[in-house]
Amino acid sequence: MSGRAQLMWDEQVTEYDFGPGHPMDPVRLSLTMRLVEAFGLDQKLKVTSAPAAGDSTLGLVHRADYVAAVRRVSADPRSVEQAYGLGTEDNPAFATMHRAAALIAGQSVGAAEAVWSGDVAHAVNFAGGLHHAMPGSAAGFCVYNDAALAVARLLELGAERVVYVDVDVHHGDGVQAAFWDDPRVLTISLHEHPRTLFPQTGWPEETGGAGAEGGAVNIALPAGTGDAGWLRAFHAVVPELIAAFGPQVVVSQHGADTHFEDPLAHLAVSLDAQRAVAEACHQLAHEHAEGRWVALGGGGYAVTDVVPRSWTHLVAIAAGAPLDPAAETPEPWRHEVYRATRAMAPARMTDGRHPVRWRSFEDAGYDPADRLDQAILATRRAVFPLHGLLA
């Protein structure tokens, strides 16, 4: 397997644009790529593009009638297809909807193909991670579920065990739904508790369908969880399950909306903790999947302060050239941020919390009065025995 990493990028992914005032501002994508370039990371990995996903590829996850509906609202953005979740407040129609969504999906599928073929060890598509789209409907700013499509393509190519790790603040419901009955896929989602956040799913009791018991794992965190708790929960559940499952590929989704500055959710995670989890996913891929790692973006609505820095760290880790958290953001990039948004750019690649300190669940013991530990134990009790592990 090649040691090289690959970054999937096409400027036209910024056409995935729900319009002025919508939280999913495509400037977060262009500013991320400009920061990647400002640090010279584009010289440390292969930057390439894949074609848009065609109907047969989209059909690995999505129904033909839904794809047809997306095409219809793209042709007439004033239309509403309520039954398909299109033309709604969350998912307003726009003229390039099908083309841009299919292009983003194509990048994630291309990343999966490159990693499975052995052309590269790691591949990143930070424009991807649109994990809420269902087989027959759009949801939560997501039109085509590129994450599920990447996993489905890996299965089509012959993969027998794929693990999907989702650390977005929202439950990875669309990917879970796509593989609910498939024992070849282990979906793990670490998210804010469904009592306090969309999509109100992702309870620890959701563990997979008949014949795939234990194939869905949900760690539902209390609102307000910060760095130490977030990392404690991740390490109390994810590594042990991945080791037991023995994946051939790790696919991870790195939504940046867990951040304390994000306007749409209620966790209190820093950039430095997000970087630490990206490093952990990288390490887990090497420990258990011969280094095969497909890394995707996701949510994230602090579009200048958080998203570009978080995903640039992700790219740097995949490229084998991790950035010093204390590094200053390059001055040309700061000028570009101001030009594009009239906002002041962050000065450093850290929130000042590196290295993040946290207590291991195994070493520090379980506190029955602590809501975080209750959440961890609920997940372990629901899923660990199904994998032959002690809760």
Side-chain angles (χ1 to χ4, degrees), residues 208-221:
E213 295 86 351
V217 181
N218 290 289
I219 312 145
L221 303 176

Side-chain angles (χ1 to χ4, degrees), residues 14-366:
T14 59
E15 292 182 353
Y16 192 84
D17 186 356
F18 290 107
H22 193 281
M24 184 77 94
D25 188 335
V27 76
R28 69 198 193 119
L29 302 179
S30 56
L31 289 180
T32 300
M33 191 61 195
R34 301 294 85 81
L35 188 55
V36 165
E37 293 166 343
F39 275 113
L41 295 171
D42 56 325
Q43 305 301 312
K44 299 183 184 298
L45 41 57
K46 178 183 178 183
V47 180
T48 189
S49 177
D55 286 357
S56 61
T57 298
L58 293 173
L60 294 174
V61 168
H62 294 290
R63 298 198 318 250
D65 61 307
Y66 171 60
V67 175
V70 176
R71 290 183 187 275
R72 285 197 300 272
V73 299
S74 301
D76 180 10
R78 297 167 299 177
S79 63
V80 175
E81 296 268 2
Q82 192 73 41
Y84 295 106
L86 299 167
T88 63
E89 183 177 357
D90 272 4
N91 311 298
F94 56 94
T96 57
M97 178 178 270
H98 170 75
R99 183 173 72 202
L103 182 61
I104 290 171
Q107 306 316 303
S108 292
V109 169
E113 291 171 343
V115 166
W116 185 252
S117 71
D119 287 349
V120 294
H122 314 323
V124 181
N125 176 28
F126 58 74
L130 304 180
H131 59 170
H132 293 308
M134 293 292 176
S137 65
F141 316 159
C142 304
V143 176
Y144 295 139
N145 195 321
D146 65 284
L149 287 165
V151 173
R153 179 61 175 147
L154 288 165
L155 298 177
E156 186 178 52
L157 291 170
E160 296 175 344
R161 295 178 311 283
V162 180
V163 67
Y164 171 76
V165 180
D166 189 318
V167 297
D168 193 288
V169 78
H170 302 91
H171 177 226
D173 57 338
V175 185
Q176 175 179 288
F179 303 105
W180 183 254
D181 296 314
D182 195 330
R184 298 172 296 173
V185 181
L186 174 65
T187 64
I188 307 175
S189 181
L190 182 78
H191 49 265
E192 184 179 329
H193 201 285
R195 273 195 297 262
T196 54
L197 194 65
F198 174 89
Q200 283 78 52
T201 57
W203 299 78
E205 295 79 15
E206 297 171 31
T207 58
E213 295 86 351
V217 181
N218 290 289
I219 312 145
L221 303 176
T225 298
D227 288 357
W230 195 61
L231 290 171
R232 177 174 169 84
F234 179 93
H235 287 284
V237 175
V238 179
E240 201 167 345
L241 282 173
I242 288 180
F245 186 68
Q248 295 162 297
V249 190
V250 173
V251 179
S252 56
Q253 195 267 22
H254 298 265
D257 44 8
T258 51
H259 196 272
F260 54 78
E261 287 187 14
D262 197 273
L264 298 189
H266 318 98
L267 294 191
V269 173
S270 74
L271 182 76
D272 300 291
Q274 292 176 344
R275 180 183 184 274
V277 160
E279 287 184 320
C281 289
H282 177 223
Q283 182 178 345
L284 288 165
H286 279 285
E287 289 177 355
H288 303 291
E290 299 182 353
R292 298 186 191 91
W293 182 33
V294 178
L296 309 173
Y301 309 101
V303 298
T304 57
D305 281 359
V306 178
V307 175
R309 293 187 297 159
S310 185
W311 292 347
T312 297
H313 275 305
L314 178 66
V315 172
I317 290 164
L323 296 170
D324 183 349
E328 292 188 354
T329 54
E331 188 173 355
W333 180 75
R334 289 185 228 170
H335 290 314
E336 174 62 16
V337 169
Y338 186 77
R339 185 201 67 77
T341 67
R342 291 298 183 262
M344 299 300 293
R348 294 193 299 158
M349 293 297 288
T350 179
D351 286 332
R353 299 186 183 179
H354 178 79
V356 180
R357 305 196 182 280
W358 53 280
R359 297 181 305 117
S360 162
F361 188 78
E362 287 77 12
D363 295 342
Y366 164 63

